Amino acid sequence: MLRNLFNKRILKFVILIIIMFVLTRIPASAAIPNLDGDTHPNRLKLSECLIDLKNVADWDGEKALEAARNICELRQNHAKQKARFLASQDQLTKIYKDWKRFNQYLPTAITDSWQIVKSCIDFKEGFTSTHNIESLTLPEKIRSECYSLGADFIESHLSMLRKKYKSASGG
């Protein structure tokens, strides 16, 4: 009985070590948090935007079409800025992954860049109150701005890095 209990504990310990090892080997880019909340950057068709508009406002005709187009445009910009942010993270990873001096900081840098975007969203949403169509448009605007801020932050670092090494190489 003692031996059986001992074997179960050893097995649990080995499993725990394996899980910890696997989790530490997952690249930081694989852990993409969902900061989209109630937004829908993937619902880009005019018909989808119109349906969503009808859920929050009882508008018809040209006014509804114009509002739906605006919602779709905001969603497209949200998706574009998010893609730009993800691409800047990928560039950061590609540049630093082989630098032994810096690659240990990549997971933290990626996590921190997500935190910058999240903090921006939390800050802006904390000071907003929406109703009607704003419940569809304002969150999209906020996410576009915050993803853009995150991308600008990373891209400014990458630009500085490129200038530094371009001038150092004499080019």
Side-chain angles (χ1 to χ4, degrees), residues 5-144:
L5 181 63
F6 180 75
N7 286 338
K8 286 182 182 178
R9 284 188 175 175
I10 294 292
L11 180 61
K12 287 179 183 177
F13 180 74
V14 169
I15 290 171
L16 180 63
I17 296 296
I18 291 170
I19 289 171
M20 288 173 51
F21 178 78
V22 168
L23 289 177
T24 60
R25 299 297 177 235
I26 295 174
S29 61
I32 298 175
N34 180 5
L35 302 181
D36 291 334
D38 292 335
T39 63
H40 301 286
N42 56 344
R43 291 178 55 85
L44 302 173
K45 293 180 184 173
L46 183 58
S47 60
E48 294 170 326
C49 295
L50 198 52
I51 289 169
D52 293 340
L53 173 69
K54 296 283 185 179
N55 287 330
V56 297
D58 191 21
W59 294 357
D60 289 318
E62 190 58 38
K63 184 178 181 179
L65 280 174
E66 185 179 329
R69 285 186 193 105
N70 183 40
I71 292 167
C72 283
E73 185 179 307
L74 291 168
R75 288 177 177 176
Q76 288 170 356
N77 193 43
H78 171 177
K80 178 182 171 185
Q81 294 305 322
K82 184 175 182 178
R84 184 175 151 237
F85 174 70
L86 293 171
S88 69
Q89 284 185 328
D90 287 344
Q91 288 176 350
L92 186 73
T93 301
K94 285 177 187 172
I95 288 174
Y96 283 117
K97 71 179 168 88
D98 294 327
W99 289 20
K100 292 193 186 307
R101 183 173 163 205
F102 295 114
N103 67 1
Q104 64 185 329
Y105 302 111
L106 270 175
T108 302
I110 296 299
T111 300
D112 288 349
S113 66
W114 278 106
Q115 189 59 47
I116 289 168
V117 174
K118 182 183 182 320
S119 294
C120 174
I121 292 168
D122 291 345
F123 174 82
K124 287 180 176 268
E125 285 187 343
F127 290 102
T128 61
S129 175
T130 62
H131 70 285
N132 204 330
I133 189 173
E134 282 184 335
S135 66
L136 296 175
T137 59
L138 198 56
E140 298 290 352
K141 287 178 186 176
I142 288 172
R143 277 152 184 82
S144 293

Side-chain angles (χ1 to χ4, degrees), residues 85 88-89 92 113 149-159:
F85 174 70
S88 69
Q89 284 185 328
L92 186 73
S113 66
L149 174 74
D152 289 347
F153 183 76
I154 294 171
E155 289 168 357
S156 71
H157 172 73
L158 295 173
S159 176

